[in-house]
Amino acid sequence: MNTFGEVSPPLGPTQLAAGHAPPTPPHEDPLDDVYGSPPGSPTWATNDATNLNGHHQRSHEILSDLPFRQRALDTDAYREGLANSKGQYVQEGFDEGYSLGANLGLRIGYILGVLQGFVAAWNGHDEVLYQQTKKVRETAKRELAIEELLGQQWVNEEGVWKWEVHGEDEDATFREVAEQHPLVQKWTGTVQTMAMSWDVDLNAVDKIHDSNKQEQA
């Protein structure tokens, strides 16, 4: 008997017992245990994909949110600019409009007051002149209404008068602007013509006032 042959494996095909399958390799790739990833590593790709999708989703949300943020910034900037400029320009506009309106009111009040005096003077004395002066006064009230004096025909959209103004100095005063309004000039001339035709001295009150001042001095 050959002792070496007894311990050496047979040279023929290996005989396996029935019901025993050959062992399965742990990995298909024999080098996977050296260069490959651990068995749990395929989930990393899933995590990377999830993170990438989340990044794209957040980027999309940020981009879709930009128009809203832009509108909000524009609104805030508009409100801030309006608040900062309101105190300056509104006050300046009010001061200018008030001064012009006050001087126009003085001139209109003078004209309508004189016409009312004419109506009262002729009432019960001359019916024809009474009706004429009454009609003239009603026409003056319509034409000298504030919406007519400061309408688009005479004032532009920026609130600047359109009629030509000449001042004694380089810059005309609001009194001069009011006196040279075409409608004010028209009715001032009408009142003066009516007074001259009836020998009425429109400066009589001023003359009496100046005389009293001189006597008191």
Side-chain angles (χ1 to χ4, degrees):
M1 176 181 293
N2 188 352
T3 305
F4 178 78
E6 292 179 357
V7 297
S8 298
L11 297 177
T14 302
Q15 297 294 328
L16 297 175
H20 294 279
T24 303
H27 304 288
E28 295 180 359
D29 189 353
L31 299 179
D32 192 37
D33 60 339
V34 178
Y35 298 103
S37 300
S41 63
T43 58
W44 293 0
T46 304
N47 293 334
D48 291 343
T50 303
N51 294 335
L52 184 60
N53 292 334
H55 175 72
H56 287 313
Q57 184 176 1
R58 289 192 298 271
S59 299
H60 176 72
E61 292 177 354
I62 293 174
L63 291 176
S64 62
D65 198 37
L66 285 178
F68 171 78
R69 293 179 180 273
Q70 184 63 45
R71 289 193 297 269
L73 289 174
D74 291 344
T75 302
D76 292 342
Y78 171 78
R79 290 175 178 173
E80 183 177 357
L82 183 62
N84 292 336
S85 62
K86 184 183 296 186
Q88 175 183 358
Y89 296 107
V90 171
Q91 185 63 46
E92 291 178 358
F94 173 80
D95 293 343
E96 182 174 333
Y98 179 83
S99 299
L100 178 58
N103 281 277
L104 283 172
L106 289 173
R107 299 306 305 168
I108 295 168
Y110 170 79
I111 293 169
L112 296 179
V114 172
L115 291 175
Q116 180 61 36
F118 291 159
V119 172
W122 294 117
N123 187 20
H125 294 84
D126 191 314
E127 185 64 21
V128 175
L129 291 176
Y130 169 73
Q131 293 297 333
Q132 288 179 352
T133 53
K134 186 177 179 181
K135 185 176 181 179
V136 170
R137 183 195 62 183
E138 294 301 321
T139 303
K141 288 176 64 177
R142 290 195 302 271
E143 292 190 7
L144 294 175
I146 193 65
E147 57 268 21
E148 296 293 334
L149 289 171
L150 301 178
Q152 294 182 354
Q153 180 180 0
W154 306 113
V155 179
N156 62 22
E157 297 179 353
E158 297 179 355
V160 180
W161 53 87
K162 298 180 181 180
W163 63 90
E164 188 174 358
V165 178
H166 300 282
E168 294 182 0
D169 298 328
E170 183 177 354
D171 295 329
T173 64
F174 286 113
R175 178 179 179 180
E176 293 170 333
V177 174
E179 291 176 348
Q180 295 178 41
H181 191 295
L183 291 178
V184 173
Q185 287 185 326
K186 169 189 173 182
W187 284 102
T188 300
T190 299
V191 166
Q192 291 175 348
T193 300
M194 295 173 67
M196 291 177 60
S197 64
W198 298 325
D199 294 330
V200 176
D201 186 2
L202 295 178
N203 296 321
V205 176
D206 293 335
K207 292 178 180 179
I208 295 174
H209 181 69
D210 291 340
S211 177
N212 291 335
K213 288 179 62 179
Q214 291 178 358
E215 292 177 358
Q216 292 177 0

